[in-house]
Amino acid sequence: MPGPPGGSEIGGVRRHLPELEQRFVVAVWDRAGGPRSWSGFRAPSDWRLDDEVDDLVAVARHLRERLGRDRIHLVAHSGGTIAGLLAVRQHPELFAAYVGVGQVVSLREADRSQYADTVTWARRTGRTALADRMTAQGPPPYRDVWAYEPLLTNEAGAFPADREGASEDETGTVGNLGVSEYSLLEKAHLFGFLDGWDVLYPRLQEIDFRRDVRQLAVPGYFVDGAQEVPGRLRLFDEWYAQLQAPRKDRLVIPRAGHRSMFERPDAFVPYLERLRTDGGPGGN
């Protein structure tokens, strides 16, 4: 499950995770409003988190029926971990395991921490205009996606990840456009995630999994880059310490950031390979 509403990671999986397809049947889903799910684009009044969860549950049921398999491992990335985690909590009978990559815990607190760290970085590095602009704007949450622009466009500078030897470079999603699965029109629709995020993101500000999801009925495995934004890691540490599950495990990938599974597939793929055994990555 890709990160943003209206998001797609077909290009990222095709370019950076071909070895995963040698070990699993891999289904990559474009969320409603994404390049290959553009017809599912919702009106703002109808774009709710519950709808995203329902969509994911429908996809899981479809895969079980079409493929004749009941062992569905859900891999959710970034913002997709919100609906992903809720779907697994609500329908554990559909999933053999949950894998959260860059797991969200609280958007509001993570963004506020990132805001404070970015302002400090801007002042320390002489980016006075940026620091003044952000200070005048004040900390998140904001009413629309465009107000998050200083955080988004400066994340790579304020929280750099080591790209030496990485499979994916700093262009991220945009750098994965050129794959055969996308038509020219679908490539243009790739940026529809901005509209989806603009609608849904403000409606997710009250989510806090430290309060809302403290237990899972299926094994939970989690992957982070060691160079992820520090505030996100701190929140995850708090939540993970209290999470109850039949089995849980965590992989922290050195020299990786928020898109760790695409940046360092040589660490990510072997970790998931262990899902094929009953012991799972933790081996317990």
Side-chain angles (χ1 to χ4, degrees):
M1 184 170 184
S8 172
E9 289 178 351
I10 289 176
V13 171
R14 171 64 69 221
R15 283 186 178 275
H16 307 292
L17 294 172
E19 290 189 19
L20 197 62
E21 295 180 277
Q22 304 304 314
R23 295 162 168 79
F24 297 91
V25 176
V26 179
V28 188
W29 172 42
D30 280 7
R31 295 172 67 174
R36 309 207 73 181
S37 299
W38 186 253
S39 62
F41 202 98
R42 294 185 171 98
S45 60
D46 296 328
W47 213 324
R48 300 179 300 271
L49 177 58
D50 287 347
D51 297 314
E52 298 284 311
V53 174
D54 290 345
D55 284 351
L56 176 54
V57 169
V59 168
R61 286 175 170 154
H62 171 74
L63 291 174
R64 285 161 60 98
E65 180 178 351
R66 177 176 175 177
L67 300 175
R69 302 188 182 194
D70 59 4
R71 287 183 58 81
I72 302 292
H73 300 94
L74 174 61
V75 179
H77 178 226
S78 187
T81 65
I82 299 175
L85 191 69
L86 292 175
V88 169
R89 186 192 65 173
Q90 294 174 19
H91 292 278
E93 74 281 1
L94 298 179
F95 302 99
Y98 172 74
V99 182
V101 184
Q103 177 69 49
V104 171
V105 175
S106 167
L107 291 174
R108 181 191 294 264
E109 288 200 30
D111 289 343
R112 284 178 177 267
S113 175
Q114 183 173 347
Y115 166 88
D117 288 346
T118 302
V119 171
T120 299
W121 164 79
R123 294 207 182 279
R124 186 179 68 248
T125 57
R127 294 170 169 82
T128 305
L130 172 63
D132 289 346
R133 174 188 168 196
M134 294 183 67
T135 301
Q137 181 177 333
Y142 306 124
R143 295 179 61 184
D144 57 58
V145 66
W146 311 108
Y148 287 89
E149 178 270 330
L151 290 180
L152 295 173
T153 58
N154 289 286
E155 183 171 318
F159 311 98
D162 183 356
R163 300 290 177 180
E164 184 178 357
S167 181
E168 181 181 77
D169 62 22
E170 66 277 1
T171 58
T173 300
V174 176
N176 296 321
L177 275 172
V179 292
S180 60
E181 282 84 354
Y182 293 136
S183 69
L184 184 60
L185 182 59
E186 287 167 347
K187 291 178 182 179
H189 286 162
L190 184 69
F191 296 95
F193 79 88
L194 291 171
D195 295 314
W197 193 21
D198 192 46
V199 172
L200 194 59
Y201 201 82
R203 301 177 180 178
L204 304 178
Q205 293 301 311
E206 299 307 314
I207 289 285
D208 189 332
F209 288 140
R210 294 171 298 180
R211 175 197 63 220
D212 301 329
V213 178
R214 300 168 64 92
Q215 186 171 2
L216 291 177
V218 304
Y221 306 110
F222 302 92
V223 179
D224 280 306
Q227 294 172 317
E228 172 67 275
V229 175
R232 297 172 186 164
L233 293 178
R234 287 194 295 269
L235 286 165
F236 179 83
D237 288 342
E238 292 180 22
W239 176 71
Y240 184 77
Q242 69 182 27
L243 177 67
Q244 300 295 313
R247 185 181 299 111
K248 66 177 184 178
D249 191 70
R250 183 188 189 189
L251 171 68
V252 179
I253 301 178
R255 300 189 303 149
H258 187 59
R259 293 174 61 83
S260 59
M261 64 180 177
F262 301 128
E263 296 166 15
R264 305 290 176 180
D266 54 336
F268 179 73
V269 173
Y271 186 70
L272 258 64
E273 168 70 14
R274 293 158 66 185
L275 287 173
R276 296 165 61 91
T277 69
D278 289 338
N284 297 320

